[in-house]
Amino acid sequence: MSNGVVLNLQFAGTPSPQQKEKEKMRDTFLLAYRTLGVVFGGLVTSPLYVYPSMPLNSPTEHDYLAIYSIMFWTLTLIALLKYAIIAIRADDHGEGGTFALYSLLCRRLNIGILPSNHVYSSSRPERGVEAQTWLGKLFERSIVARRVLLFVAMLGTCMIIGDGILTPAISVLSAMDGLRAPFPSVSKSLVETLSAVVLIVLFLLQKFGTSRVSFLFSPIMGAWTLATPLVGIYSIIRHYPSIFKAISPHYIFHFFWRNGKAGWLLLGGTVLCITGSEAMFADLGHFNQRSIQLAFIFTIYPSLVLTYAGQTAYLIKNPNDHDDGFYKFIPTSVYWPIFIISTSAAVVASQSLISATFSIIKQSVVLDYFPRVKVVHTSHSKEGEVYSPEVNYILMVLCVAVILIFGDGKDIGNAFGVYVSAVFTKFSEGGWIPFAISLVLAFIMFGWFYGRQRKIEYEITQKITFHRLEELLADPSVQRVPGICFFYTNIQDGLTPILGHYIKNMKSLHKVTIFTTLRYLLVPKVDPHERIVIKKSNLKGVYGCVIQYGYADALHFEDDFVNQVISSLILHIRNCSGILEPHSQEIEQEVSSLEEARCAGVVHVRGKTRFYIGLNCGWFDKIMLGFYEFMHSNCRSGLPALQVPLQQRIEVGMLYEA
């Protein structure tokens, strides 16, 4: 009896499941390698300035053991457990960051801060029915609760931007301070000047994008991540081999028992060991959970644990060197290679924070929570690589100002981390800086949002219905002129009151008028086939168009905006009307009239509205709306994002009564 033969046929060029799994793992490891140069720059370079930032006074061996124990458990509980394991799972369809978490909460609790209805209809399901919980009911019923939630999200975002100002300053300054050990004649002011020059050059290069040099980021940070723990291991063996006994928490309890308030004040310095750990969640959209977790758990975390252990081991035997706790523990034979690597790593860490700030500002602009600034995509292949000239130069001035005003890594360290109670004691020593920056930015964002919301509320109240539009067009003095008009409006259920103002004064309306709404949604990305939503009215030649964006979407169309809208409009006409013979001639006439109108010319009409702030306005409205009008008069138009030629734009002015 012959044995059966099983044939496993595989088409040529078709990968097997095993091959697919291998490719997936390879891609994950490649992404994990790339995260070294993008995600972990601020976190992994923290050994440059943690010990110098601590107000140590004649520390003992037990003090250093306790400090290392505090840093070890801070890294373990916050960086590893909180961010790398728990927070990273709270993604919004793969996107991370404060606004991603806010948008996820809004959708899960079935609440929204904008007073308009969204058209977005993606088939991706949301988990749970949290809208039925007491928390969902609270946010659903209370506008105050919703605004508080929004303000907290804004404040958290602004604090990350504040770190984007301080981290480049302290990283580069601490790295350049390594020149003073081998060259005592190098003055403090010279180190400050060199650090400022490095940062100025870095900011001036931002407009070219990072694509051309980003391939160097991961090797540089990889070299740093590997070199510092090796020096740490050498220092442990040479100075204090039993350093890891400090992992026992009892050293922490005895430390606070002995030192009391003085020990509590040291928490303000130890918290710097997790500087930049929030980037694991904020940069989630550029990578994925597994790649970030692999990189942190198997490289960054052990690197930091060993580096801090080596620094502590050296300082136990040399307790008075804590003011330069990094470069002092570097052996002389490898001092200059480490100096070059550390300086390069500090620049890369600065670039990571600068890029993250650009990305946050772009998301804020897209969600209409920040005044419109110019956002340029510096890479055709990397959607998240953006640059904002205005933001760039403001960051440059603030970073250089921080260096020149403080001039010392220890003083800048005081400005970090107004997150724990111990740091409030350093408020007058520089801790007010990130707090002040965050409050100013949050006030800008809330003021912009408040003004935009009031305008939308006014337009909804004073909106023009299609029935009213029909009455206006029935006036014999109103002419339908050739061409296509894109009339921009902020509302979907009705038409902007600017339309009535326009028709009454111009006495005309184009034969084809498309009322266009740019809708920014609390979702990461909108599917391409859902980007343009067309509505047909009962009036001849009058259509509605909603262009939908997610907060992680690019702000520009790959092809011509007008052509895409008209193509979508023609497709909508054919699909809605059908292809039955009795109607085919009517359909073709409508399509033909669209083509004729496009050949006649295209114009884009948008309102340039202002609030009339009268005597009846309350003091809050006078302040917030006045501030909004100041920002609105100095910000950019929303139309350049659609590549609308300047000669096709028409602005219609109108006063809204506050």
Side-chain angles (χ1 to χ4, degrees):
M1 184 174 178
S2 62
N3 294 329
V5 178
V6 178
L7 296 179
N8 185 13
L9 298 178
Q10 184 76 26
F11 290 102
T14 304
S16 64
Q18 294 81 1
Q19 289 175 323
K20 289 182 179 179
E21 187 64 27
K22 287 181 180 178
E23 290 179 2
K24 185 178 179 181
M25 287 299 297
R26 184 190 63 189
D27 292 341
T28 300
F29 280 112
L30 182 60
L31 279 177
Y33 170 69
R34 287 179 55 202
T35 62
L36 299 179
V38 178
V39 178
F40 300 107
L43 178 60
V44 80
T45 55
S46 58
L48 284 168
Y49 48 81
V50 169
Y51 267 115
S53 299
M54 295 184 188
L56 297 172
N57 186 18
S58 301
T60 65
E61 175 183 341
H62 288 281
D63 289 338
Y64 277 122
L65 290 172
I67 290 170
Y68 177 68
S69 185
I70 293 172
M71 289 193 292
F72 173 83
W73 287 109
T74 301
L75 282 168
T76 302
L77 295 177
I78 297 182
L80 178 62
L81 183 63
K82 175 186 173 182
Y83 282 107
I85 296 178
I86 298 176
I88 202 172
R89 300 181 64 185
D91 65 293
D92 184 14
H93 297 298
E95 291 291 330
T98 306
F99 276 130
L101 189 59
Y102 169 72
S103 69
L104 184 64
L105 280 171
C106 286
R107 296 201 312 277
R108 292 287 292 271
L109 296 175
N110 195 27
I111 61 173
I113 205 70
L114 295 176
S116 57
N117 296 321
H118 294 159
V119 175
Y120 183 73
S121 59
S122 175
S123 58
R124 291 172 297 193
E126 293 291 341
R127 299 183 300 270
V129 288
E130 284 78 359
Q132 302 301 320
T133 65
W134 67 269
L135 187 62
K137 292 178 181 178
L138 172 66
F139 283 111
E140 188 175 3
R141 294 172 182 172
S142 173
I143 184 65
V144 175
R146 295 200 295 273
R147 287 182 176 175
V148 168
L149 178 64
L150 174 62
F151 188 79
V152 169
M154 289 178 175
L155 191 61
T157 300
C158 295
M159 284 185 171
I160 296 176
I161 297 175
D163 282 351
I165 295 169
L166 296 176
T167 297
I170 195 173
S171 299
V172 174
L173 186 61
S174 300
M176 296 297 291
D177 202 49
L179 290 172
R180 299 179 66 186
F183 301 109
S185 59
V186 174
S187 64
K188 182 180 176 181
S189 60
L190 180 58
V191 172
E192 296 171 16
T193 303
L194 290 175
S195 301
V197 169
V198 169
L199 284 177
I200 289 172
V201 171
L202 180 62
F203 279 107
L204 291 178
L205 292 175
Q206 293 301 309
K207 64 181 178 181
F208 300 107
T210 58
S211 294
R212 297 179 182 178
V213 294
S214 60
F215 70 94
L216 293 174
F217 289 177
S218 294
I220 289 172
M221 298 311 297
W224 168 268
T225 306
L226 180 64
T228 51
L230 289 178
V231 175
I233 293 171
Y234 169 81
S235 180
I236 292 169
I237 296 172
R238 182 179 179 184
H239 298 291
Y240 202 88
S242 60
I243 183 64
F244 289 108
K245 68 182 181 181
I247 293 177
S248 173
H250 87 274
Y251 285 98
I252 301 176
F253 295 112
H254 285 292
F255 175 75
F256 288 119
W257 184 264
R258 290 193 315 271
N259 295 282
K261 182 180 178 181
W264 169 71
L265 293 176
L266 282 174
L267 287 176
T270 56
V271 77
L272 296 181
C273 71
I274 54 171
T275 299
S277 55
E278 69 277 358
M280 281 187 274
F281 182 57
D283 292 336
L284 189 57
H286 301 292
F287 300 95
N288 57 46
Q289 291 182 16
R290 182 170 293 184
S291 63
I292 292 176
Q293 289 174 329
L294 279 175
F296 180 78
I297 294 172
F298 294 104
T299 59
I300 304 300
Y301 178 72
S303 174
L304 289 171
V305 168
L306 291 172
T307 301
Y308 284 123
Q311 284 184 281
T312 307
Y314 171 83
L315 291 173
I316 288 175
K317 298 301 181 183
N318 303 273
N320 295 321
D321 288 347
H322 59 82
D323 283 337
D324 189 8
F326 179 76
Y327 281 110
K328 289 284 187 177
F329 103 108
I330 303 297
T332 306
S333 58
V334 295
Y335 187 90
W336 288 112
I338 294 294
F339 173 78
I340 294 172
I341 293 174
S342 65
T343 305
S344 303
V347 173
V348 173
S350 303
Q351 178 62 61
S352 300
L353 266 296
I354 294 168
S355 299
T357 302
F358 290 154
S359 180
I360 289 171
I361 293 294
K362 179 246 183 181
Q363 287 187 7
S364 303
V365 171
V366 166
L367 289 173
D368 216 7
Y369 294 154
F370 197 83
R372 289 184 294 268
V373 295
K374 185 176 183 180
V375 176
V376 180
H377 288 261
T378 57
S379 172
H380 295 290
S381 58
K382 298 179 182 177
E383 189 177 280
E385 192 173 301
V386 294
Y387 161 73
S388 173
E390 297 97 331
V391 175
N392 182 62
Y393 293 121
I394 291 174
L395 284 177
M396 181 180 73
V397 170
L398 291 176
C399 282
V400 173
V402 166
I403 287 178
L404 297 181
I405 291 173
F406 289 95
D408 189 273
K410 183 175 182 178
D411 293 333
I412 299 176
N414 290 332
F416 265 104
V418 184
Y419 307 113
V420 294
S421 59
V423 186
F424 281 109
T425 59
K426 302 190 297 181
F427 198 82
S428 61
E429 302 173 20
W432 59 271
I433 289 182
F435 198 69
I437 292 172
S438 300
L439 283 179
V440 170
L441 288 172
F443 182 69
I444 290 173
M445 295 175 77
F446 190 79
W448 179 262
F449 160 77
Y450 184 79
R452 298 292 293 172
Q453 188 183 45
R454 286 294 302 272
K455 278 192 174 180
I456 293 175
E457 289 173 351
Y458 179 88
E459 291 185 353
I460 291 176
T461 304
Q462 305 294 328
K463 67 182 179 181
I464 293 178
T465 63
F466 279 96
H467 177 71
R468 175 57 181 159
L469 176 60
E470 188 175 10
E471 292 178 351
L472 290 172
L473 295 179
D475 187 341
S477 63
V478 177
Q479 303 296 317
R480 299 297 294 271
V481 297
I484 294 179
C485 172
F486 285 86
F487 209 111
Y488 293 88
T489 175
N490 291 324
I491 57 177
Q492 295 170 206
D493 301 328
L495 304 173
T496 173
I498 299 172
L499 173 63
H501 184 67
Y502 174 83
I503 294 177
K504 288 179 181 179
N505 288 274
M506 301 297 292
K507 297 296 182 182
S508 66
L509 190 68
H510 286 74
K511 288 184 176 180
V512 176
T513 301
I514 304 172
F515 293 100
T516 307
T517 303
L518 305 181
R519 179 62 60 220
Y520 304 113
L521 308 178
L522 288 174
V523 294
K525 294 185 178 182
V526 175
D527 293 333
H529 68 278
E530 295 176 337
R531 174 63 52 83
I532 299 175
V533 180
I534 300 295
K535 294 180 179 179
K536 190 176 183 298
S537 73
N538 294 326
L539 299 177
K540 183 178 180 181
V542 176
Y543 306 93
C545 172
V546 179
I547 301 174
Q548 304 188 127
Y549 287 108
Y551 58 78
D553 274 326
L555 293 176
H556 58 81
F557 279 81
E558 295 180 358
D559 300 321
D560 181 67
F561 161 68
V562 174
N563 289 336
Q564 285 201 35
V565 173
I566 292 178
S567 297
S568 299
L569 184 55
I570 293 173
L571 182 63
H572 177 82
I573 292 171
R574 295 187 187 279
N575 289 340
C576 290
S577 301
I579 55 173
L580 297 177
E581 188 63 29
H583 301 287
S584 60
Q585 186 175 357
E586 181 182 344
I587 295 170
E588 293 306 320
Q589 286 179 351
E590 189 171 1
V591 172
S592 177
S593 64
L594 280 174
E595 297 294 345
E596 290 177 5
R598 175 163 54 178
C599 294
V602 178
V603 295
H604 300 260
V605 178
R606 66 181 291 266
K608 191 171 181 63
T609 58
R610 296 191 62 182
F611 279 111
Y612 173 74
I613 304 173
L615 297 177
N616 295 328
C617 286
W619 65 269
F620 183 78
D621 277 351
K622 286 182 179 179
I623 294 173
M624 298 303 295
L625 296 181
F627 182 55
Y628 167 78
E629 285 300 330
F630 171 77
M631 292 188 291
H632 187 258
S633 62
N634 289 281
C635 75
R636 295 177 180 266
S637 168
L639 294 186
L642 301 176
Q643 286 82 46
V644 175
L646 186 63
Q647 62 271 20
Q648 293 183 2
R649 302 181 201 170
I650 298 176
E651 292 187 343
V652 181
M654 185 175 178
L655 285 177
Y656 285 178
E657 186 175 357

